[in-house]
Amino acid sequence: VKQHHLMAKSKREVSESSFDFLHYSIVDTFSSATRAHPEKDLELIGFQVGQKLAERYAKDKAVFENDLAVITFLCKDFWTEVYGKQMDKLRTNHKGVFELQDHRFRSVLRISTGPEGNAGDAAKKYLELPCGMVRGALTSLGLNASVRAETTGLPCVVFVVHVHESSRSIKQ
């Protein structure tokens, strides 16, 4: 039993390492290419990935009864599948704005800067893809939303989700 647990943990670590390397490589490639708006391209890639993953992870779930149920699914189930842990904290104003907090967001754990650099600024380009993934997952689950990431002190990241009232497909 112990050996099986170690093998499962080892496979998860390889999977996480592969995902992290792919994420860093995509960001670095798009950032160094001569693209007009690499941040929009990264967000779009994340959006498409988030849509597909949410469809896969939610296929056996009951219908979500409201926005909070969708966001809770995203924080617990979706985030665990993608990043190996749940979001650390969820806050809402009950008016369509949600703050999803990850206190040790894996994608920014290894961010380093040069002598005049700011780690928060360096991390921004690595947050476009996960913002897109959150937005894509929410769209797949029936919510049209905007998503932005804030870094108050790395590796803590707060994803601010604003659900657009006029486009909600889930009734409160």
Side-chain angles (χ1 to χ4, degrees), residues 124-145:
K124 285 180 183 176
K125 67 181 180 179
Y126 294 98
L127 296 173
E128 294 296 335
L129 190 84
C131 282
M133 289 175 65
V134 170
R135 192 172 69 84
L138 292 173
T139 299
S140 177
L141 299 171
L143 295 180
N144 185 9

Side-chain angles (χ1 to χ4, degrees), residues 5-44:
H5 175 68
L6 290 175
M7 274 184 55
K9 184 178 178 184
S10 177
K11 285 182 182 179
R12 164 81 72 193
E13 288 172 355
V14 168
S15 177
E16 289 174 0
S17 300
S18 299
F19 178 79
D20 292 345
F21 182 70
L22 180 63
H23 181 187
Y24 296 142
S25 296
I26 289 170
V27 171
D28 290 342
T29 299
F30 275 73
S31 297
S32 64
T34 55
R35 301 177 92 72
H37 302 285
E39 66 282 348
K40 289 182 180 179
D41 295 334
L42 291 166
E43 200 273 347
L44 181 60

Side-chain angles (χ1 to χ4, degrees), residues 6-122:
L6 290 175
M7 274 184 55
K9 184 178 178 184
S10 177
K11 285 182 182 179
R12 164 81 72 193
E13 288 172 355
V14 168
S15 177
E16 289 174 0
S17 300
S18 299
F19 178 79
D20 292 345
F21 182 70
L22 180 63
H23 181 187
Y24 296 142
S25 296
I26 289 170
V27 171
D28 290 342
T29 299
F30 275 73
S31 297
S32 64
T34 55
R35 301 177 92 72
H37 302 285
E39 66 282 348
K40 289 182 180 179
D41 295 334
L42 291 166
E43 200 273 347
L44 181 60
I45 291 170
F47 180 85
Q48 294 169 343
V49 170
Q51 275 188 309
K52 289 174 175 58
L53 290 177
E55 288 170 6
R56 179 178 175 194
Y57 301 149
K59 70 179 179 175
D60 297 327
K61 300 285 182 189
V63 175
F64 300 107
E65 63 273 5
N66 57 36
D67 295 356
L68 184 57
V70 172
I71 298 289
T72 301
F73 168 80
L74 183 89
C75 290
K76 290 182 176 183
D77 300 303
F78 182 85
W79 211 252
T80 299
E81 288 293 333
V82 176
Y83 292 104
K85 66 184 273 301
Q86 293 183 5
M87 283 281 188
D88 294 303
K89 190 172 186 180
L90 166 62
R91 294 178 12 177
T92 181
N93 67 357
H94 299 285
K95 295 179 183 175
V97 178
F98 300 87
E99 286 186 356
L100 292 62
Q101 298 178 17
D102 189 328
H103 296 159
R104 277 187 57 78
F105 187 50
R106 204 174 74 218
S107 294
V108 297
L109 282 173
R110 294 178 183 87
I111 300 295
S112 62
T113 60
E116 57 289 317
N118 176 318
D121 290 340

